[in-house]
């Protein structure tokens, strides 16, 4: 018998030399292939004939040939050994009395003196139908004949459009995860239809020279969508080529790219307008300077004292140093406390950054610093802006804090950063005689 699901002939570039997975790729002549077998007595002869509708009586075919029946193996091991290097590998079966045979046949028709293609008929016409007839006869002299139509298609498929993202969803330009998806449409071939697609995912668009047979980075599919997992951030492109049933490729089509950005925006400093930063610890090569702010807004300070000691002198009996400091009760400077009169608060921020892409901001103004859980989608007290400054109106005295979060275009948030706070004091100073 002949397996009709295996025989699939086509003619490419006018040459009648194609088959199930054949065609003309890179100017190379391809093949016709089929499966034929008889499990009882084995095959005695295999014959093919190629003709068109004008020579249906077979008197003047384009080519014909007797093919070796692929038997003469003593046992299964001998058969698998003998045909192991054949296309698609050994595909053997054994009969009760006539040894073992190889099922899979593949021919590459060529012009020959006896058999094969005829020299003056080795080329066909675009969009014209031809037929291949395969006849197999068993050793028991039983014959099966299978005829299949073959069409010439020398035009490549028309190119389409490639979209980044999942099919049925809007196209995307940015994402956080490493799993990429793309889909494509509008590829078509009027003559033989689109057979399958190949695509390459890379940090740049591929061209026709990248789609070489056996390329390790080429993914082949019958679907109109594909996926790929990458290992790091960057901008990635899907390049897609469509093949028709004659295995002619379309022009490569590249997506406009999707950027993976998994980094979290950095932040270094937030400053409140008209406020004074509370002193801290500063150290350089030569000196150790300690600063602090001390005050009593009701009665003022009477004395200030410091002592420096380590864990071995925790009882303070043997400190590294100590001193009484002048309380600075008559200083004319304003004490180092953050005051601002009025109800309108302003703040600005800087040194937020993202290595890959721009950012926008959200901020909250409250009597305490906010944390990440306060920045929930749709929160009524969240203010969003692309500026690096913000303002807010409050309703009473107190100390208020600006908490700022930066977002990159992949919507990754930075850690919340809080200002040092600004105090609203609308009271009028008292005066005593």
């Amino acid at each position: 018998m002949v397996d009709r699901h295996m025989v699939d002939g086509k003619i490419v570039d006018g040459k009648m030399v194609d088959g199930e997975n054949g065609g003309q790729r890179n100017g190379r002549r391809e093949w016709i292939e089929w499966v034929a077998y008889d499990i009882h007595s084995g095959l005695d002869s295999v014959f093919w004939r190629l003709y068109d509708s004008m020579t249906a009586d077979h008197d003047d075919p384009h080519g014909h040939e007797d093919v070796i029946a692929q038997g003469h193996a003593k046992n299964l091991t001998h058969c698998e050994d003998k045909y192991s290097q054949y296309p698609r590998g050994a595909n053997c079966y054994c009969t009760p009395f006539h040894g073992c045979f190889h099922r899979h046949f593949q021919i590459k028709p060529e012009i020959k003196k006896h058999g094969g293609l005829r020299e003056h008929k080795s080329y066909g016409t675009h969009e014209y139908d031809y037929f291949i007839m395969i006849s197999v006869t068993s050793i028991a002299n039983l014959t099966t004949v299978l005829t299949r139509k073959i069409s010439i298609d020398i035009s490549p498929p028309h190119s389409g459009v490639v979209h980044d993202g999942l099919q049925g969803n809007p196209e995307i330009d940015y994402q956080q995860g490493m799993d990429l998806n793309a889909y494509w449409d509008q590829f078509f071939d009027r003559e033989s239809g689109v057979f399958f697609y190949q695509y390459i995912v890379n940090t740049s668009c591929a061209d026709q020279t990248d789609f070489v047979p056996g390329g390790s980075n080429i993914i082949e599919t019958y679907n109109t969508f594909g996926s790929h997992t990458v290992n790091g951030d960057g901008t990635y492109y899907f390049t897609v080529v469509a093949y028709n049933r004659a295995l002619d490729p379309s022009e490569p089509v590249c997506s406009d790219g999707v950027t993976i950005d998994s980094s979290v925006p950095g932040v270094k400093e937030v400053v409140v307008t008209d406020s004074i930063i509370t002193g801290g610890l500063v150290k350089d090569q030569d000196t150790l300077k300690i600063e602090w702010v001390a005050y009593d807004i009701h009665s003022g300070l009477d004395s200030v004292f410091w002592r420096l000691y380590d864990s071995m002198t925790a009882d303070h009996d043997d400190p590294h140093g100590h001193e009484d400091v002048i309380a600075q009760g008559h200083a004319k400077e304003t004490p180092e406390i953050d005051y601002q009169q009025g109800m309108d608060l302003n703040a600005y921020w800087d040194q937020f950054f993202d290595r890959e892409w721009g950012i926008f901001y959200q901020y909250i103004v409250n009597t305490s610093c906010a944390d990440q859980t306060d920045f929930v989608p749709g929160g009524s007290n969240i203010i969003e802006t692309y500026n690096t400054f913000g303002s807010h109106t409050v309703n009473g005295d107190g100390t208020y804090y600006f908490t700022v979060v930066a977002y990159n275009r992949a919507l990754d948030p930075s850690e919340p950063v809080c200002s040092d706070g600004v105090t609203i004091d609308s009271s009028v100073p008292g005066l005593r005689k």
Side-chain angles (χ1 to χ4, degrees), residues 227-248:
S227 61
H228 187 70
T229 301
V230 296
N231 297 319
D233 290 4
T235 302
Y236 295 89
Y237 303 85
F238 278 75
T239 306
V240 180
V241 168
Y243 290 86
N244 60 20
R245 293 186 176 273
L247 297 189
D248 281 326

Side-chain angles (χ1 to χ4, degrees), residues 338-352:
D338 296 337
Y339 281 103
Q340 182 169 316
Q341 187 165 341
M343 299 300 179
D344 293 326
L345 297 179
N346 296 283
Y348 69 91
W349 44 89
D350 54 23
Q351 302 184 44
F352 288 81

